[in-house]
Amino acid sequence: MFKRFSMLLALCVPLSVFAADDISNSRDYKKFQRFPSSSIVQYKQSDIRDYRLILGGLEKIDGALRAEKEQRIAGQLTQITYRIPENHSAKEAFEYFYAQIIDQGGEKLFRCTGRDCGSSNQWANNIFRYFRLYGVDNTQSFSSLQLADSYISLYSVKRGNKRVYLRLDIIESAALKAESQLTETGQINREITSDNDFDALVKFLKQKPESILWIVAYDFNSGTKQQQINRSEERANQFKDKLIAAGVDGSKVYLHAAGSFILGKQTERGTKLMVYSENRVE
């Protein structure tokens, strides 16, 4: 039903609509249509290392605000707050965005409504840190979702002055992106450069225990060719030990120390770790 409605709406409303009273330098998120006749009143993009993705209701324990369950996320954060036309409810605005996310393959992680979500004051001032989201508790709706390599927090509320606001947070997760890039072909063929890459590699190997993994280590630091090979061998062994400590079967991990020997024009510096998988059993 929503798909048919959104198709009709798209004939009349462009995917990204800019209202005359949007704040400057703001825009809709590329994947979602805004609620008709709404306007952006708050907008921010930033890199974040510790976003609180709420996965359970809020409660106060020993005077401190806590969620029943939450997850800390790192990535690029886009925050958009819309003011919804006054002849529409907070629930209408929430369902409008929620349906778009689900239609695109989004997965619900948590959802609550009304007083089951806790205090609107806590959502406004401690979670989203935007005062206009402090409203009437029984008008609240919240959901956390996952869509491809992004996490989404969606919240709507009606204030005591009858104004309705909807908050949309999209966190393009560094960990989910690394996992997607690492395993998009069902096999691995790439450089490992971060903890996110490592975590995604471990997850891949645990999901595909039949895979054989090759670790190829390079060393482009100063020294003789033999010194470079020795250092790259040490680096490969350290990485294998780290994989084993994370629960990977060491008998399926093979090493190759390449020193500074590499095909093509050498422009690298420092060290480099490449990993390759094979779908076979030995």
Side-chain angles (χ1 to χ4, degrees):
M1 178 69 181
F2 176 81
K3 289 182 178 179
R4 292 195 296 271
F5 171 73
S6 57
M7 288 178 65
L8 291 172
L9 182 65
L11 296 176
C12 304
V13 183
L15 184 60
S16 292
V17 182
F18 297 88
D21 50 355
D22 282 354
I23 62 169
S24 61
N25 299 315
S26 65
R27 60 183 180 273
D28 297 303
Y29 188 66
K30 57 190 175 183
K31 293 185 178 181
F32 308 132
Q33 295 182 14
R34 71 170 62 190
F35 192 84
S37 301
S38 61
S39 59
I40 298 174
V41 296
Q42 179 268 339
Y43 181 88
K44 183 179 180 181
Q45 282 190 312
S46 61
D47 290 325
I48 191 166
R49 300 176 60 87
D50 200 29
Y51 181 87
R52 292 179 70 186
L53 183 70
I54 304 301
L55 300 170
L58 302 184
E59 57 184 353
K60 268 197 172 183
I61 301 176
D62 297 329
L65 174 70
R66 297 180 186 174
E68 294 173 359
K69 185 180 179 183
E70 63 181 61
Q71 182 177 347
R72 301 285 177 158
I73 306 295
Q76 185 180 58
L77 172 64
T78 300
Q79 301 169 299
I80 309 172
T81 304
Y82 292 96
R83 181 177 171 186
I84 306 302
E86 293 182 7
N87 57 332
H88 295 280
S89 69
K91 181 176 174 58
E92 283 182 84
F94 180 89
E95 295 293 349
Y96 183 85
F97 278 94
Y98 186 86
Q100 290 186 66
I101 298 167
I102 296 299
D103 281 352
Q104 293 181 43
E107 175 189 358
K108 181 191 75 173
L109 305 176
F110 170 71
R111 179 170 176 170
C112 63
T113 58
R115 297 185 186 278
D116 289 341
C117 297
S119 167
S120 175
N121 177 47
Q122 301 297 339
W123 286 98
N125 295 312
N126 293 289
I127 302 301
F128 295 115
R129 300 184 184 278
Y130 187 64
F131 73 96
R132 286 178 174 170
L133 297 176
Y134 178 23
V136 180
D137 289 350
N138 62 13
T139 68
Q140 299 175 105
S141 293
F142 172 80
S143 185
S144 52
L145 306 101
Q146 181 180 338
L147 177 63
D149 59 4
S150 297
Y151 291 105
I152 298 170
S153 291
L154 182 65
Y155 179 80
S156 67
V157 71
K158 183 177 184 179
R159 287 173 57 87
N161 61 8
K162 310 301 183 183
R163 291 183 178 178
V164 174
Y165 293 93
L166 179 136
R167 174 63 169 264
L168 179 66
D169 282 6
I170 305 101
I171 313 96
E172 297 180 48
S173 165
L176 288 177
K177 187 173 183 180
E179 182 180 328
S180 175
Q181 291 175 340
L182 192 65
T183 62
E184 59 189 3
T185 64
Q187 288 187 301
I188 299 171
N189 179 355
R190 66 165 293 163
E191 184 179 3
I192 300 296
T193 61
S194 68
D195 289 341
N196 289 324
D197 288 344
F198 176 81
D199 293 343
L201 175 61
V202 170
K203 184 175 181 179
F204 174 86
L205 293 172
K206 288 182 177 180
Q207 290 176 341
K208 296 181 178 292
E210 74 282 0
S211 294
I212 300 297
L213 185 74
W214 282 92
I215 301 170
V216 182
Y218 298 89
D219 184 284
F220 302 101
N221 295 304
S222 60
T224 65
K225 295 297 185 185
Q226 187 60 56
Q227 288 173 328
Q228 291 172 331
I229 289 174
N230 291 343
R231 286 196 298 260
S232 60
E233 182 177 14
E234 181 181 2
R235 180 77 176 89
N237 275 300
Q238 289 173 347
F239 191 76
K240 180 177 179 179
D241 289 344
K242 187 177 178 181
L243 287 172
I244 293 172
V248 173
D249 182 357
S251 68
K252 301 286 185 67
V253 180
Y254 294 83
L255 309 179
H256 180 70
S260 63
F261 293 99
I262 189 170
L263 292 175
K265 184 178 180 181
Q266 181 181 318
T267 59
E268 283 84 354
R269 295 290 184 270
T271 61
K272 182 175 182 178
L273 275 175
M274 296 292 298
V275 293
Y276 307 88
S277 70
E278 291 184 87
N279 295 328
R280 61 186 176 89
V281 178
E282 291 194 350

